[in-house]
Amino acid sequence: MMVAVDPGDIVRGVDLARDKRLVTIDGMMEDVLPGIDLHAAPDSHTWGSMWVTVRNDGKKDSQDTWVLAGDLVYQFDNITNDGAVVDVDEMYTPVGLAVGSQTNLILATEEMMSQVDYEARRVIPIHEEGLRDAFPSRISKEGLRITEICLADGESSKVA
């Protein structure tokens, strides 16, 4: 395959649209499900990059927000990298592979960080191997890693 788009995915998307089972969005969508918001990051990692905000308490002004960064942040180092090279303590370092603007990647990272009150561990970089060290995790019998980011009040661990 020579491109990042599988033609079979396009065909499946057309089938879903025809069956009225596909919803497309343009920009941000609040409460796509209760407490879950979608955010567009156009012209960044890809033309249609997005991230997901999860407000665990369901409140608009949540005190329990997490961000699923998608491909906009690969590793924790993308949000808390050593800034000595530019004489600051820490800096954002955008992912190296992008079809769009590195500036837009940095702006999206800033927006994600502001949503979690700059608590970097609440921005989940889905490619980060260190998630296993930052959060409880285990390997399933199928050999897949399961990482537990957070639990609802009163719930017991599913990975312990």
Side-chain angles (χ1 to χ4, degrees):
M1 183 149 90
M2 301 298 291
V3 296
V5 177
D6 180 346
D9 290 341
I10 302 295
V11 171
R12 283 187 285 283
V14 169
D15 289 343
L16 289 169
R18 183 189 59 241
D19 296 342
K20 300 197 183 320
R21 296 179 53 220
L22 174 70
V23 175
T24 60
I25 67 167
D26 184 11
M28 182 189 176
M29 179 179 272
E30 287 186 345
D31 289 317
V32 65
L33 293 170
I36 298 175
D37 306 327
L38 304 178
H39 304 269
D43 189 34
S44 57
H45 175 67
T46 65
W47 298 282
S49 288
M50 302 188 81
W51 78 87
V52 177
T53 301
V54 178
R55 294 173 280 111
N56 277 346
D57 56 14
K59 299 176 183 175
K60 293 289 181 200
D61 190 24
S62 178
Q63 299 302 307
D64 190 12
T65 300
W66 294 82
V67 167
L68 306 175
D71 281 342
L72 296 163
V73 175
Y74 281 12
Q75 301 176 322
F76 288 121
D77 282 349
N78 294 128
I79 44 181
T80 58
N81 206 358
D82 180 7
V85 69
V86 290
D87 200 27
V88 296
D89 291 334
E90 288 184 339
M91 67 180 186
Y92 303 146
T93 304
V95 298
L97 177 62
V99 297
S101 163
Q102 294 289 311
T103 300
N104 287 348
L105 275 165
I106 292 171
L107 293 172
T109 302
E110 171 62 18
E111 178 61 24
M112 287 184 263
M113 288 292 287
S114 73
Q115 290 177 353
V116 297
D117 291 326
Y118 298 92
E119 189 178 342
R121 76 180 299 271
R122 287 181 169 265
V123 175
I124 306 303
I126 62 170
H127 296 289
E128 174 64 74
E129 282 292 318
L131 286 175
R132 66 181 175 214
D133 301 322
F135 300 96
S137 67
R138 67 175 168 85
I139 303 295
S140 73
K141 63 183 177 196
E142 294 83 11
L144 301 173
R145 179 171 310 283
I146 300 170
T147 302
E148 190 172 80
I149 304 300
C150 61
L151 290 170
D153 290 340
E155 288 293 318
S156 60
S157 175
K158 309 303 187 231
V159 299

